[in-house]
Amino acid sequence: MPRLSAWFIRSAMAYLALGFTFGALLLANKGLPLDPALWRLLPVHIEFVLVGWTMQLIYGIAFWILPRWRSWRGNETPVWAAFWLLNIGIWLVALSQSLGWDPIWLVAGRLAEIASAVAFTANAWPRTKPPGA
Ligand code: HEM
């Protein structure tokens, strides 16, 4: 497995563990009210499982299995950019909603996530082709 895929997939699993833990806390808090402030974890739970887990797993597997030129997987620089932009975006979206920051940080986080998809596509697009093309 390429190093980049390992970073994406390990990171995805960390978000899954955190996302499920926060989900379990939210669920427990519904049956046995512990602290109303725990509801602040809801946007973090949603962002971690929907974007942190699923998107990073997709990026990690796609970078690994898309067609190569012999053993070369294309320019890795935009894919590293995609990794950091996605992770910065996830934390900005999660923290800005959870802690009630100015909505500009939510917009900044979403823009970082969109930029991450564009950067990932720069590598994946030319690799998406039938055999021999
Ligand atoms: C990949 C798996 C999961 C995904 C994609 C997911 C996604 C979501 C989403 C989108 C919401 C917001 C729903 C809404 O506002 O209507 C939510 C809420 C919630 N999730 Fe998850 N979740 C996942 C796993 C879990 C797990 C494993 C637990 C518990 C152990 C959990 C506990 C909760 C709770 C308690 C809420 C709040 C429900 C409420 O509004 O009363 N989630 N989840």
Side-chain angles (χ1 to χ4, degrees), residues 118-132:
V118 172
F120 187 82
T121 305
N123 172 278
W125 188 272
R127 293 177 59 192
T128 307
K129 58 186 180 60

Side-chain angles (χ1 to χ4, degrees), residues 7-84:
W7 274 68
F8 273 122
I9 295 168
R10 284 194 178 146
S11 174
M13 290 188 292
Y15 282 108
L16 179 69
L18 284 172
F20 272 28
T21 304
F22 295 159
L25 278 171
L26 287 164
L27 193 58
N29 196 44
K30 282 172 78 101
L32 184 75
L34 303 166
D35 187 341
L38 273 176
W39 277 108
R40 286 170 176 269
L41 288 175
L42 182 59
V44 185
H45 165 70
I46 295 171
E47 188 67 9
F48 279 16
V49 290
L50 284 182
V51 185
W53 159 240
T54 57
M55 287 310 298
Q56 296 212 94
L57 186 68
I58 291 165
Y59 281 10
I61 301 291
F63 180 72
W64 184 14
I65 69 166
L66 281 173
R68 293 162 287 174
W69 295 275
R70 294 187 184 274
S71 63
W72 192 57
R73 288 187 166 82
N75 183 7
E76 291 191 358
T77 308
V79 192
W80 280 111
F83 176 82
W84 291 113

